[in-house]
Amino acid sequence: MLLYKQKKNQGPKGNRLLISITVLGSAGPIRFVVKEEELVAAVIDTALKSYAREGRLPVLGSDLNDFLLYCPSAGSDALSPFETIGSQGARNFMLCKKPRTEKMEDDGSSTEAITRKGTGNWKAWINKSLNLKISSH
């Protein structure tokens, strides 16, 4: 008969969830354990730190205010940063970068335009270098 030692400083635990967060544009999901009562903002922060620690691409940054967390089974609205992660009843989520908006002034009027920073540059370089014509003999 085996006797197990109990850990002394083990307080009451909340329910824990193993969640999967798919980052848009990344190879695969990030998986980690969170408490059911943890806020969505804290989960986004943990996901960004884990993503950076693993050295994944594309590089996302670390500002959690630039990202939205979606629950695919709950509809098309992003989760509020102040709600708990366990309130959705789901374990699969998608992390997306917020679209950047800049105000452009043209003739005194201001309009908003969605900008894409740094996308396509490497693709253009690859296409250009692959399309080099090789002369035949």
Side-chain angles (χ1 to χ4, degrees):
M1 182 170 155
L2 295 171
L3 297 175
Y4 294 100
K5 291 184 182 179
Q6 283 188 328
K7 293 181 181 178
K8 292 182 181 179
N9 294 330
Q10 196 173 28
K13 292 182 181 178
N15 289 340
R16 294 183 179 196
L17 302 172
L18 175 65
I19 62 171
S20 284
I21 297 182
T22 302
V23 178
L24 197 63
S26 183
I30 300 169
R31 292 182 182 93
F32 54 92
V33 177
V34 295
K35 291 183 181 178
E36 205 172 47
E37 302 84 29
E38 206 159 332
L39 295 178
V40 170
V43 171
I44 292 173
D45 188 44
T46 304
L48 290 174
K49 287 178 182 174
S50 177
Y51 187 90
R53 189 180 320 118
E54 293 177 12
R56 292 183 179 223
L57 294 175
V59 176
L60 297 177
S62 60
D63 187 10
L64 64 99
N65 295 321
D66 290 343
F67 295 91
L68 297 170
L69 192 66
Y70 292 92
C71 181
S73 63
S76 62
D77 292 334
L79 302 178
S80 167
F82 304 110
E83 64 183 303
T84 59
I85 196 72
S87 66
Q88 295 300 313
R91 295 183 183 201
N92 297 320
F93 300 94
M94 179 167 281
L95 185 67
C96 301
K97 206 164 196 172
K98 287 181 184 177
R100 296 184 61 194
T101 59
E102 287 184 7
K103 298 224 178 203
M104 294 173 45
E105 294 184 19
D106 186 49
D107 299 327
S109 63
S110 63
T111 59
E112 290 191 9
I114 297 177
T115 62
R116 291 173 33 181
K117 181 181 177 187
T119 57
N121 292 339
W122 66 272
K123 290 180 184 176
W125 180 81
I126 293 284
N127 286 335
K128 185 178 177 183
S129 59
L130 290 178
N131 287 334
L132 294 175
K133 294 183 179 178
I134 301 172
S135 60
S136 60
H137 297 293

